[in-house]
Amino acid sequence: MTHIALVFSVRNPTLSLQILLRKHLNGADSCWPENLTNGLMLPQALQRPPEQTNLSAKYHPTSGYHYLLPDQPPSQNIFQEMQDHPLQQARKTNVWYPFDGPGEWSLAKFLVENLSQMQIDKFLKLDWFQTREQPQFKSKDKLFFYMQQLPGRGPKLQCMKLKLKGYESEQPIHLIWRDGLEVTKQLFANPVYVRHMCYDPHHIYQGQERQIGEFWTSDDAWKIQDQLPEGATIVPIIAASNKTPVTRHMGGLEMHPLFLTIGNIQADVHMKATSHAWRCTAFMPILTFIVNSDFQFLLQACLWHKCMDLVCSNLKVAARVGKYMVNPSARVCYCFTHLISHIADLPAQLMIACLCHHVDPWDLIVFLREAKKLHLSGNWRHSNPASFLTPEILHALHKFFFDHVLKWIKQIMGHELNVQFKSHHKCTGVRHFSGGHRDIQRTIVPMLWGMASPGFIRAVLAMIDFIYLAQNPLHTESSIVSMTQALQDFQCNKQAILNTKARQGKSSIKGDFFIPKLELIQSFAHAISHVSSLMQWTADDPLINAVIEEDEEIASMETDPTLAWVSNVNPATQLSLQGPCPVRNHFLKGIILDNAQIAFNVTVKADRSRLNASQLQSLYNLPDFAHALHLYATRNGCTLPDHVSFNTWLKFRIQLHSAFHTCRIMLSQQIHAEPPSSNFPRGNCDAVLFSQRVDGDKDRSYVAQIQAILQPILPRGSHVQLPEHLSQVLVYIQHFNFIIPGPEPSTGMWMLETVIRHGSIIPLTDITHAVEIIPVYQGPLDKDVNSGNSLEVFDDYFLNNFADQELYHLLLVISDN
């Protein structure tokens, strides 16, 4: 239930008065009407199917009250404020006002985004306009005046000239900034995110095991709430900054752009660039000072902290005494703005923490005392570098892999690494560059087989395991234990790397592992319980985030919060908006089973129609197709009618629910089954995992290669009806057998072997996941092997655990069972 409290509207209300009022109005003897409550959205962690009955939650008992302020106008979110804009009446007849229409608006937008003010003035004074209709704005001043009349523009950018006392710089110091608190208030009041907000710390349990996902499920969220007044709402501040070039070929000007968002917005929403949940709040200058080069970085760091203190000064005040803010539902909350994460790479983190030789940042009492003397982050309540400098996936893990682990492997494999990587079967969605290793982290472990010692392979496997486990969007106590175990396994096997002399320095072989990033990842397991899943604190989200877009044309209300909100507020306007390309939901019109956990899609029109059995058998080179079809029909108690023909497809899509958030639909995966061609002499056929029940036992998983996608059909005008088992979409598969009962010890992967001439037909709906299989190379590769035939010329294969995060989790569950 949402609590509603009443507070007096005074400029500086005393804390004791507020506490007394809240205790009375929220107590058993409250004089407040019981029906004035407002339901809140269920946290994402609890949005699960009804069959998951072992899921429970414990909410913080005194968080997230709503307040009514007497003698104050009704609270408004930013949309309601836009509706009260002085020019709103004119916009009822012209939504583009003060511009004449969409054409004039698009011209104005183009000029402002692409030209300088001087260039805009020159453009508007061209003789070209003497013979054509000129826009209403005839100068840059008029244009920018019009721009200022637009609603919902947010906090105003301002420019301030700064100076470091006693030091001169080569250029004037100008800080371009917005007030961090005003930016936060705008985000907090944005109704676009109303279905994606959270206000209360809570613990989630699946059975007896606690789950940690969003910040609100972490220990720190609960701890901070315990120290706040009753009814207070945490507004977690997430900052991100990175050194960025502003100009090229014009002096090389660099700045530190500062981005802010709030942790109330669900992580999967604020992590998407197209959700516009990040606000550029400041451009902090990076200048050259007229001092000895030894002091340049020190002064630049000092300037950075001075700028941060100015931009975030009101946020720091609100973190100490609180601030009444309006949420997306136009309800007033008593908010405390605590910094929970500052996303940056390792050099920037060192600058933010102000590390020096005489202060240990882990000695929090001493560090905070020294930081307060310098007006650094230590005076931001509940914030210290040991907590808000969150471990970061991009630089600490992926960059560690490419800077170190991959270099060790190159020392062992040399050119053979490129040769094997290029020979992998090309699956849709995996980038295969002729000279690069974009996805090599996913396939590196099986390629080491036969090229490195078991200890070397186990060390690399342990590190890849750790990287995958650290990226889980949802953690449990057991997954954190697995992360710790993976690091221990690396420590136990790392000597094998030194024994091969693979760890090379610039001029000599290294005999140690003194690597800062390796030291840093020791803190990951501890950090997850305190600040929650690390995937939401990655440096590329606000700065270079790109959303994977699927080649579809359907707008989904679940993936774009703006379209979802507009569809509720003004459905007629929805069709005129262009949102980001979303995830297509095949569960709406695809092929699904009764439990609706997996959806399949084939095109309405088949790629080839009405092939007879002989034609299909010849086209796909399947000598035993007729026999396999007869066995399938017999096994299901059917009789194959005469004159049956077949529609065939070259591919289909499979779509799953996330294994971590079962109400979230994943991007669909495309699976090919193309007949032999010049590029693929034996066909372009992907591998899948499928499930079947054997002799009434529980379902068991198997691996197979899809050779053909087909559907039996009868001649036009036929009055015979196909049995249910024959009227559905079927697939012809070639089986792989598991060589040993469990994963191979050094690679942690199941080994498979091909079954000669053993094909069968199963329903498309028996397939449970797309998988990737990697040949067991066992040494240098033959020249004739390439990506077009690598799934046919080998006898043994590895089932790749690391093909994607969801499959990795699924195979872990299967291994445990």
Side-chain angles (χ1 to χ4, degrees):
M1 176 184 290
T2 301
H3 297 270
I4 299 181
L6 177 71
V7 297
F8 291 117
S9 176
V10 293
R11 184 171 298 275
N12 293 302
T14 62
L15 186 61
S16 58
L17 177 61
Q18 293 181 38
I19 293 174
L20 287 173
L21 278 169
R22 280 194 294 273
K23 284 186 176 179
H24 164 66
L25 294 169
N26 293 303
D29 59 343
S30 172
C31 59
W32 198 248
E34 293 183 0
N35 59 347
L36 287 180
T37 59
N38 180 39
L40 293 174
M41 290 298 297
L42 196 66
Q44 186 182 48
L46 289 174
Q47 297 175 13
R48 305 291 179 88
E51 59 267 21
Q52 289 197 4
T53 55
N54 61 340
L55 204 67
S56 60
K58 176 185 177 183
Y59 281 81
H60 196 284
T62 61
S63 64
Y65 291 10
H66 291 164
Y67 295 81
L68 297 177
L69 304 178
D71 303 323
Q72 291 287 319
S75 56
Q76 294 182 319
N77 60 33
I78 62 172
F79 177 69
Q80 294 165 332
E81 290 177 355
M82 290 167 59
Q83 295 295 97
D84 287 345
H85 194 276
L87 300 179
Q88 185 61 28
Q89 192 64 32
R91 292 195 178 99
K92 289 183 178 180
T93 56
N94 175 19
V95 296
W96 309 97
Y97 190 85
F99 298 99
D100 198 33
E104 189 173 277
W105 158 244
S106 62
L107 174 62
K109 186 171 180 285
F110 174 83
L111 294 176
V112 171
E113 290 181 345
N114 295 280
L115 302 183
S116 66
Q117 294 189 30
M118 184 180 296
Q119 290 171 327
I120 292 173
D121 251 350
K122 286 183 178 180
F123 174 80
L124 294 174
K125 293 175 181 177
L126 289 174
D127 294 341
W128 186 77
F129 284 109
Q130 293 180 4
T131 58
R132 291 169 177 82
E133 183 180 355
Q134 193 170 11
Q136 294 183 84
F137 50 90
K138 296 178 175 57
S139 67
K140 64 173 177 61
D141 295 327
K142 193 75 170 178
L143 171 59
F144 282 97
F145 174 76
Y146 279 14
M147 286 291 186
Q148 290 172 1
Q149 307 310 308
L150 297 176
R153 295 176 62 249
K156 186 178 180 181
L157 273 172
Q158 47 194 316
C159 183
M160 177 178 289
K161 190 172 182 179
L162 302 176
K163 190 171 184 178
L164 287 184
K165 186 177 180 180
Y167 299 97
E168 298 292 332
S169 59
E170 292 183 355
Q171 304 90 16
I173 305 174
H174 290 105
L175 170 65
I176 303 171
W177 65 293
R178 294 183 173 98
D179 186 338
L181 180 60
E182 294 303 312
V183 170
T184 301
K185 289 167 66 176
Q186 187 195 35
L187 283 168
F188 192 71
N190 193 337
V192 164
Y193 307 118
V194 67
R195 297 179 57 194
H196 307 277
M197 297 284 282
C198 188
Y199 308 96
D200 305 282
H202 51 275
H203 289 169
I204 305 294
Y205 297 90
Q206 187 161 14
Q208 298 298 316
E209 192 168 41
R210 181 180 161 198
Q211 295 184 342
I212 301 173
E214 301 268 348
F215 166 75
W216 301 95
T217 63
S218 67
D219 291 340
D220 280 8
W222 201 279
K223 180 180 177 182
I224 292 171
Q225 190 73 55
D226 282 341
Q227 301 177 53
L228 298 180
E230 181 182 343
T233 297
I234 304 173
V235 179
I237 303 300
I238 307 171
S241 60
N242 200 1
K243 184 185 292 187
T244 303
V246 179
T247 63
R248 297 185 186 276
H249 311 298
M250 298 177 63
L253 178 63
E254 292 183 321
M255 285 189 170
H256 281 289
L258 174 68
F259 293 83
L260 293 181
T261 191
I262 55 175
N264 305 89
I265 303 172
Q266 287 178 0
D268 63 326
V269 173
H270 75 63
M271 287 172 68
K272 293 179 181 176
T274 50
S275 296
H276 306 292
W278 289 89
R279 295 288 187 270
C280 187
T281 307
F283 288 97
M284 295 177 285
I286 302 174
L287 300 174
T288 302
F289 290 88
I290 307 173
V291 294
N292 186 289
S293 59
D294 294 341
F295 300 99
Q296 284 291 343
F297 178 77
L298 182 62
L299 290 175
Q300 289 172 356
C302 185
L303 175 61
W304 185 90
H305 280 280
K306 184 173 183 176
C307 293
M308 278 292 294
D309 191 57
L310 178 65
V311 173
C312 300
S313 58
N314 287 332
L315 285 173
K316 294 180 181 181
V317 173
R320 290 199 305 272
V321 301
K323 181 75 176 180
Y324 290 109
M325 293 165 56
V326 180
N327 71 10
S329 302
R331 298 301 183 103
V332 177
C333 300
Y334 185 35
C335 300
F336 288 77
T337 52
H338 299 289
L339 178 64
I340 62 164
S341 176
H342 193 128
I343 302 168
D345 58 17
L346 185 57
Q349 287 185 345
L350 296 176
M351 180 191 71
I352 294 168
C354 295
L355 291 183
C356 56
H357 66 279
H358 65 278
V359 178
D360 180 2
W362 297 100
D363 189 345
L364 297 184
I365 297 177
V366 176
F367 186 93
L368 293 178
R369 183 173 65 242
E370 295 298 320
K372 287 178 182 178
K373 292 179 183 178
L374 300 172
H375 303 287
L376 303 178
S377 54
N379 60 352
W380 197 327
R381 187 185 180 195
H382 297 302
S383 301
N384 63 74
S387 296
F388 70 72
L389 291 179
T390 45
E392 198 269 306
I393 299 291
L394 177 64
H395 292 92
L397 293 184
H398 296 311
K399 200 167 186 303
F400 170 75
F401 172 82
F402 285 99
D403 288 350
H404 299 282
V405 180
L406 186 57
K407 288 183 178 179
W408 305 336
I409 295 168
K410 286 180 178 179
Q411 290 292 327
I412 295 292
M413 296 188 65
H415 179 64
E416 189 65 22
L417 178 66
N418 281 337
V419 174
Q420 291 190 11
F421 185 70
K422 291 177 184 179
S423 72
H424 292 171
H425 175 72
K426 294 183 179 179
C427 301
T428 301
V430 179
R431 295 168 177 84
H432 291 261
F433 297 149
S434 58
H437 299 122
R438 168 63 178 81
D439 285 302
I440 200 168
Q441 191 180 101
R442 307 186 337 178
T443 59
I444 195 66
V445 173
M447 286 195 291
L448 285 169
W449 179 270
M451 303 293 291
S453 67
F456 190 105
I457 298 174
R458 282 193 291 269
V460 174
L461 171 65
M463 188 52 61
I464 303 296
D465 270 331
F466 182 86
I467 291 173
Y468 270 66
L469 289 167
Q471 293 179 86
N472 281 357
L474 189 67
H475 286 275
T476 62
E477 293 161 348
S478 58
S479 72
I480 295 175
V481 170
S482 297
M483 284 179 60
T484 305
Q485 183 60 51
L487 274 185
Q488 291 177 355
D489 291 344
F490 174 80
Q491 299 291 349
C492 292
N493 291 282
K494 66 182 182 182
Q495 184 60 41
I497 298 172
L498 299 180
N499 292 343
T500 60
K501 301 180 181 179
R503 180 153 155 71
Q504 301 271 343
K506 290 183 179 180
S507 57
S508 62
I509 298 170
K510 289 193 172 184
D512 59 62
F513 282 93
F514 296 146
I515 304 171
K517 287 185 176 66
L518 186 57
E519 296 297 321
L520 183 63
I521 65 177
Q522 308 295 322
S523 65
F524 274 41
H526 176 266
I528 288 170
S529 61
H530 283 272
V531 297
S532 70
S533 172
L534 304 181
M535 275 303 291
Q536 56 191 316
W537 323 124
T538 183
D540 59 337
D541 287 330
L543 304 177
I544 57 173
N545 194 349
V547 177
I548 299 175
E549 297 183 355
E550 194 171 1
D551 188 19
E552 304 289 354
E553 298 178 355
I554 294 179
S556 168
M557 297 301 103
E558 298 301 321
T559 57
D560 182 29
T562 304
L563 288 179
W565 177 72
V566 170
S567 69
N568 290 324
V569 176
N570 191 355
T573 312
Q574 177 189 334
L575 296 177
S576 65
L577 298 179
Q578 182 176 2
C581 190
V583 177
R584 181 164 186 173
N585 187 354
H586 293 298
F587 285 88
L588 299 178
K589 294 183 179 180
I591 303 169
I592 59 174
L593 293 175
D594 294 337
N595 59 11
Q597 293 302 305
I598 306 175
F600 303 88
N601 176 265
V602 294
T603 57
V604 174
K605 183 179 180 181
D607 294 297
R608 289 182 175 85
S609 301
R610 299 193 175 276
L611 300 177
N612 60 40
S614 178
Q615 289 172 322
L616 190 152
Q617 187 168 297
S618 174
L619 177 66
Y620 285 88
N621 192 22
L622 306 176
D624 64 338
F625 170 73
H627 177 67
L629 183 63
H630 174 74
L631 286 179
Y632 171 78
T634 303
R635 189 167 60 246
N636 289 282
C638 305
T639 301
L640 198 65
D642 296 330
H643 309 297
V644 68
S645 57
F646 304 89
N647 289 340
T648 65
W649 289 264
L650 302 180
K651 60 189 176 184
F652 69 89
R653 287 186 177 274
I654 181 172
Q655 189 170 44
L656 308 171
H657 287 273
S658 170
F660 300 98
H661 297 295
T662 49
C663 283
R664 184 187 303 169
I665 297 172
M666 305 299 295
L667 285 169
S668 63
Q669 294 174 286
Q670 189 168 276
I671 298 175
H672 291 262
E674 300 175 9
S677 63
S678 57
N679 292 330
F680 299 95
R682 303 190 188 182
N684 180 22
C685 304
D686 294 333
V688 297
L689 199 68
F690 72 96
S691 178
Q692 281 189 340
R693 183 162 295 182
V694 179
D695 298 330
D697 198 0
K698 64 179 181 179
D699 289 348
R700 296 189 179 184
S701 295
Y702 304 89
V703 179
Q705 187 181 25
I706 304 290
Q707 298 286 330
I709 308 161
L710 57 122
Q711 184 178 32
I713 56 173
L714 293 172
R716 293 185 179 93
S718 174
H719 298 292
V720 180
Q721 188 173 2
L722 281 172
E724 180 184 354
H725 290 288
L726 289 176
S727 61
Q728 59 185 310
V729 178
L730 309 173
V731 291
Y732 177 94
I733 59 175
Q734 292 280 355
H735 292 258
F736 292 92
N737 282 345
F738 292 102
I739 297 177
I740 55 177
E744 191 280 323
S746 61
T747 61
M749 296 181 178
W750 276 281
M751 295 185 73
L752 311 168
E753 63 180 358
T754 55
V755 181
I756 305 299
R757 289 189 169 276
H758 178 52
S760 63
I761 290 178
I762 62 172
L764 177 69
T765 51
D766 279 1
I767 296 171
T768 59
H769 210 291
V771 298
E772 182 180 32
I773 56 177
I774 307 292
V776 177
Y777 291 107
Q778 303 213 46
L781 197 62
D782 190 85
K783 290 182 180 180
D784 297 330
V785 179
N786 56 52
S787 60
N789 62 16
S790 60
L791 291 192
E792 283 77 29
V793 299
F794 289 88
D795 295 325
D796 299 334
Y797 297 86
F798 285 110
L799 175 59
N800 186 15
N801 299 2
F802 303 110
D804 64 61
Q805 188 77 20
E806 295 285 327
L807 180 63
Y808 178 77
H809 180 77
L810 173 66
L811 293 180
L812 277 181
V813 173
I814 292 176
S815 296
D816 292 340
N817 294 333

